Amino acid sequence: MSDQKDLLGLFKTVAERVDRRSFETVTRDSVITDLGVDSLSMMQIVGEMETELNVQIPDEDLVEIVTVGDLCSKVERRLA
Amino acid sequence: MRTFVEVIRDNSVYSEHAHTFVRLDGTERVVPFPQLWRWACQRANRFRDLGLQKGDRVALVLPDPESFVLAFIGALTAGLVPVPMYPPMTLAKMEVYGETVRHILASSGARALVTVPGLEPLLSAQLLDAVKASGASTEGVRVILASELEGELPEKTVQPGEVSLDDLAFLQFTSGSTRQPKGVMVSHRNLSTNAHAIMFDGLRANSQDRGVSWLPLYHDMGLIGFVIAPAYAQVEVKFLPTPNFIRRPSLWLDSVHKFRATITFAPNFAFALATRAVSDEQSKDWDLSCLKAVGCGAEPIQADTLRRFIERFSSKGLRPEAVLPCYGLAEGTLAVSFADLSKPMHTELLDPASMHRGEATLSSEADAIELVSCGRTFPGFELAIRGASGAVLPDRRVGEVWVRGPSIMRGYFGQPAATAEVLDDGWLRTGDLGYLGDGQLFVCGRLKDLIIIHGKNYYPQDIERIVSAVDGLRADQCVAFARSGAEGEECVVVAEANNASSDPRDLASQVKLRVRAELGLPVTEVVLIKRNTLPKTSSGKVRRRDTKVRLEAGELELLVPRKAPVPVARTSNRTAL
């Protein structure tokens, strides 16, 4: 559970850095395409999360991602 | 002069030279020049076996540089006409993508589409939708997997002589600023002449040079700049997948450092991204002194961005004169002018009031506008600045950039009317505004985007720069354009708001206040729209004219409803769009 929180927190921190605005209200249920982040920025966010955690999320995993929680789960699986 | 296919054939004697392809998963494949030619012939034969004939258009949707380059060269070798298309972005909305795919397939009359298994279901669905929506226009499109093009080389080898300089080589669809891209017809002669201009006149390259590119291969700068042109000088290239650079911006210059690249190119935004997102740790061992040309083109060039890039990486050996501003466009194959390779970036500071009159007068005041020189055009090419009547303007007068030379396109595929609008007695009307100063080209913006109010010229970029700085609005996610109002032309701003916390009325008055204070221009209406809904091209450029059309059609996602629509009495005064 604490891991889940940390990843959501990391997502918010990185998203704030890349997109220069607050992501305070984002939850694991937030749909990524509704966040108002364009795909270029989204790839930068994924990239910066990968760098921070030293994991790599393959592209085929990204295709299945709909919510922020999906992204966190994919990262968790790579961390495990 | 040789066709690109003959060059690839002739290069097969350089067995010590190779291209390096980095795949999406980060692994690398080295393809020596002899093998490149063998595989090109093999793919050419497979295309022919699949029933495709000389002149047939074949769409390529291949995200991986290796499979893209091999399929592209194979198609050219078979005399087919490739139509490079951009792959869908992961984590993006698909509706707009589908619309573009259907448009390009229908207007190119493609007979086949080459892709990978991961994208095949999505693209097949788009084809079906297109058939349902518009009848049979894309019905005959056959979907081919890139893996189907591999296999042993049959006995019959292709003769590259079957492709001549006057054959159509490929269709480059330009995103432009309108919703429906047009297919630029690029001939083998166009390619060959532009490759010579780029490699020998612009870059003074030889076979010891090495290139690194993460540029998308569905775009002219990546495709012609790094697949076609380097071949003419036997230059080896390392290709990186675009998404890998976006996810890890350090990859670009790290590859330059490790590959000892001498040539690389990027649009303005990448210079900003590399400056911001590369850490000291990532760059600690870099030696970038190998670079002789870091070309910057394909979108408006900002002097500040390039200066910060140079400052950031000069301690890593980057020489300031390596940064090379360039001008070009798909209708001119790719390159039209390069800055001087041996000199640092040259800029001019201009008086804004004079620029509003169309005169480029130097200024040393704080409000001066800075423009970057894109250098001179190449030998064998002509460049002129012309006024609305078509008359050539004197130096330092702003007008439309016209270009003539052997790389000017034949026209837009299947669109004679659109072609006639831009081609005139061998001259290409670029639609870009610029002026010449001491023979050097300075580009100011797009002619059709110019906002003329009470006889004064305003450049949308200048307005957008001011709007971008307003708190509560997203930087660079706004457009300014003119529309006809009751009292002549008036200026409208459409901007994405950051979040709902700021009062929209307050934001709108901030915009009006600031633009008037800095440019003396009254903004008639400020339209705030939801985040990430501003119309853009596949390369992320704003679409001013499309935004205008969509606003009038009521298709923008407004943050707050607009005030009562323009009264009927006023709309009747409107001139045609």
Side-chain angles (χ1 to χ4, degrees):
Chain A
M1 200 55 208
S2 64
D3 270 359
Q4 291 196 358
K5 265 191 196 149
D6 285 342
L7 284 180
L8 180 61
L10 176 65
F11 176 85
K12 290 183 186 179
T13 311
V14 170
E16 278 168 25
R17 191 162 61 215
V18 170
D19 227 30
R20 282 169 287 171
R21 67 181 165 116
S22 169
F23 282 80
E24 199 45 55
T25 56
V26 168
T27 68
R28 286 179 77 106
D29 294 327
S30 304
V31 174
I32 285 174
T33 50
D34 291 344
L35 294 178
V37 180
D38 64 29
S39 55
L40 196 74
S41 301
M42 197 59 218
M43 294 314 289
Q44 285 180 46
I45 293 170
V46 172
E48 294 200 14
M49 284 181 76
E50 288 175 322
T51 306
E52 297 243 347
L53 296 168
N54 199 21
V55 293
Q56 205 161 357
I57 309 161
D59 262 22
E60 47 276 26
D61 277 12
L62 291 179
V63 176
E64 300 159 11
I65 289 172
V66 177
T67 65
V68 173
D70 294 343
L71 176 62
C72 294
S73 312
K74 294 287 182 193
V75 176
E76 273 153 18
R77 199 177 312 159
R78 296 285 151 186
L79 283 172
Chain B
M1 200 162 35
R2 296 172 298 161
T3 66
F4 174 66
V5 177
E6 289 166 322
V7 168
I8 292 292
R9 178 199 61 191
D10 296 350
N11 280 355
S12 66
V13 301
Y14 297 92
S15 54
E16 71 286 10
H17 278 214
H19 286 330
T20 305
F21 296 99
V22 177
R23 298 189 179 122
L24 291 161
D25 66 9
T27 58
E28 291 184 9
R29 182 172 206 170
V30 176
V31 180
F33 283 8
Q35 197 167 11
L36 191 68
W37 173 239
R38 240 183 355 262
W39 281 349
C41 290
Q42 174 197 82
R43 279 159 176 78
N45 282 317
R46 289 291 297 140
F47 276 123
R48 295 249 174 103
D49 289 346
L50 290 162
L52 294 163
Q53 291 166 356
K54 186 169 175 178
D56 281 347
R57 273 80 62 206
V58 50
L60 306 178
V61 190
L62 296 163
D64 182 78
E66 177 190 359
S67 49
F68 181 94
V69 169
L70 293 173
F72 179 80
I73 299 178
L76 286 184
T77 304
L80 308 181
V81 177
V83 182
M85 286 169 62
Y86 70 101
M89 307 253 197
T90 26
L91 304 174
K93 293 187 177 179
M94 282 298 142
E95 296 85 352
V96 183
Y97 181 70
E99 192 184 322
T100 312
V101 166
R102 293 194 295 269
H103 167 74
I104 293 179
L105 289 176
S107 64
S108 66
R111 283 199 58 207
L113 183 158
V114 184
T115 189
V116 287
L119 296 177
E120 192 271 332
L122 177 108
L123 291 165
S124 294
Q126 293 301 337
L127 289 174
L128 268 178
D129 282 357
V131 174
K132 280 184 205 146
S134 65
S137 56
T138 56
E139 196 161 22
V141 182
R142 170 177 186 164
V143 178
I144 300 170
L145 295 179
S147 54
E148 290 178 60
L149 300 174
E150 295 164 18
E152 285 309 302
L153 187 61
E155 293 298 304
K156 43 175 179 158
T157 38
V158 177
Q159 293 303 314
E162 292 171 23
V163 177
S164 78
L165 283 167
D166 292 309
D167 282 330
L168 180 58
F170 70 99
L171 295 183
Q172 174 68 59
F173 273 80
T174 62
S175 38
S177 322
T178 52
R179 213 188 300 191
Q180 303 212 311
K182 294 191 280 283
V184 169
M185 291 190 277
V186 183
S187 72
H188 278 284
R189 189 181 303 280
N190 290 156
L191 285 179
S192 182
T193 52
N194 212 238
H196 277 91
I198 293 168
M199 297 312 289
F200 303 116
D201 299 320
L203 297 173
R204 289 173 230 149
N206 62 50
S207 61
Q208 299 310 301
D209 279 304
R210 298 158 74 82
V212 158
S213 172
W214 56 264
L215 297 168
L217 295 169
Y218 53 79
H219 184 275
D220 51 9
M221 194 157 75
L223 180 55
I224 296 166
F226 287 90
V227 179
I228 310 257
Y232 283 79
Q234 296 91 44
V235 165
E236 300 175 284
V237 178
K238 183 168 194 172
F239 293 94
L240 314 166
T242 309
N244 297 29
F245 161 69
I246 302 297
R247 266 153 91 166
R248 235 172 304 282
S250 62
L251 180 67
W252 175 26
L253 296 176
D254 194 53
S255 301
V256 165
H257 159 70
K258 289 184 179 139
F259 194 67
R260 306 313 296 153
T262 59
I263 300 166
T264 190
F265 273 71
N268 192 80
F269 92 85
F271 287 78
L273 181 58
T275 306
R276 176 183 76 77
V278 170
S279 69
D280 291 340
E281 175 63 25
Q282 286 166 328
S283 61
K284 68 178 193 306
D285 298 325
W286 288 358
D287 169 14
L288 304 177
S289 61
C290 47
L291 278 171
K292 76 174 194 189
V294 192
C296 182
E299 58 180 33
I301 301 171
Q302 282 163 355
D304 275 346
T305 304
L306 297 190
R307 261 196 297 271
R308 279 195 287 268
F309 179 86
I310 293 166
E311 274 164 29
R312 171 75 178 78
F313 297 110
S314 59
S315 64
K316 306 295 171 196
L318 176 72
R319 291 173 302 113
E321 58 271 28
V323 172
L324 189 74
C326 305
Y327 171 70
L329 69 171
E331 288 84 345
T333 299
L334 170 62
V336 168
S337 76
F338 275 18
D340 191 328
L341 189 64
S342 56
K343 292 193 178 131
M345 170 174 82
H346 171 56
T347 69
E348 287 193 345
L349 291 168
L350 304 154
D351 174 44
S354 308
M355 286 297 274
H356 295 157
R357 294 191 303 271
E359 290 162 20
T361 310
L362 296 177
S363 160
S364 51
E365 302 295 316
D367 65 348
I369 299 165
E370 187 173 28
L371 290 179
V372 179
S373 164
C374 291
R376 294 176 169 81
T377 193
F378 307 109
F381 291 75
E382 295 168 85
L383 194 150
I385 304 296
R386 300 194 187 209
S389 65
V392 175
L393 298 178
D395 264 17
R396 312 205 69 83
R397 286 289 302 280
V398 178
E400 185 176 7
V401 180
W402 291 48
V403 191
R404 187 157 74 171
S407 304
I408 300 305
M409 67 161 182
R410 284 188 199 170
Y412 297 114
F413 187 77
Q415 301 204 48
T419 302
E421 277 176 32
V422 298
L423 291 184
D424 187 347
D425 189 27
W427 286 91
L428 168 71
R429 307 180 59 154
T430 65
D432 286 316
L433 281 171
Y435 68 89
L436 289 170
D438 300 323
Q440 300 193 44
L441 174 66
F442 293 82
V443 179
C444 318
R446 292 288 297 167
L447 178 63
K448 283 182 183 163
D449 294 339
L450 188 66
I451 298 168
I452 306 171
I453 289 175
H454 302 313
K456 284 173 85 177
N457 297 343
Y458 299 91
Y459 300 88
Q461 302 91 311
D462 294 339
I463 301 166
E464 290 155 11
R465 208 158 26 236
I466 296 165
V467 176
S468 284
V470 171
D471 269 344
L473 297 179
R474 295 187 70 205
D476 305 322
Q477 308 301 317
C478 55
V479 294
F481 53 80
R483 72 168 172 220
S484 304
E487 286 147 37
E489 293 286 290
E490 54 189 35
C491 176
V492 179
V493 168
V494 174
E496 289 188 7
N498 236 335
N499 49 42
S501 64
S502 316
D503 180 355
R505 275 168 309 185
D506 191 42
L507 287 175
S509 56
Q510 275 291 320
V511 167
K512 291 182 179 182
L513 214 68
R514 294 235 202 144
V515 174
R516 187 184 266 283
E518 290 196 39
L519 298 175
L521 168 72
V523 174
T524 305
E525 186 181 5
V526 178
V527 180
L528 298 174
I529 59 171
K530 292 181 184 159
R531 290 182 53 87
N532 202 27
T533 62
L534 190 70
K536 301 255 194 70
T537 68
S538 65
S539 48
K541 293 182 198 172
V542 296
R543 288 173 144 168
R544 298 188 182 93
R545 273 160 279 159
D546 188 26
T547 306
K548 176 179 174 178
V549 171
R550 286 185 189 226
L551 175 68
E552 292 178 358
E555 289 176 10
L556 293 180
E557 297 188 38
L558 305 180
L559 205 63
V560 284
R562 292 168 79 191
K563 288 201 190 110
V566 189
V568 179
R570 290 177 71 186
T571 46
S572 65
N573 283 338
R574 285 181 167 195
T575 51
L577 287 173

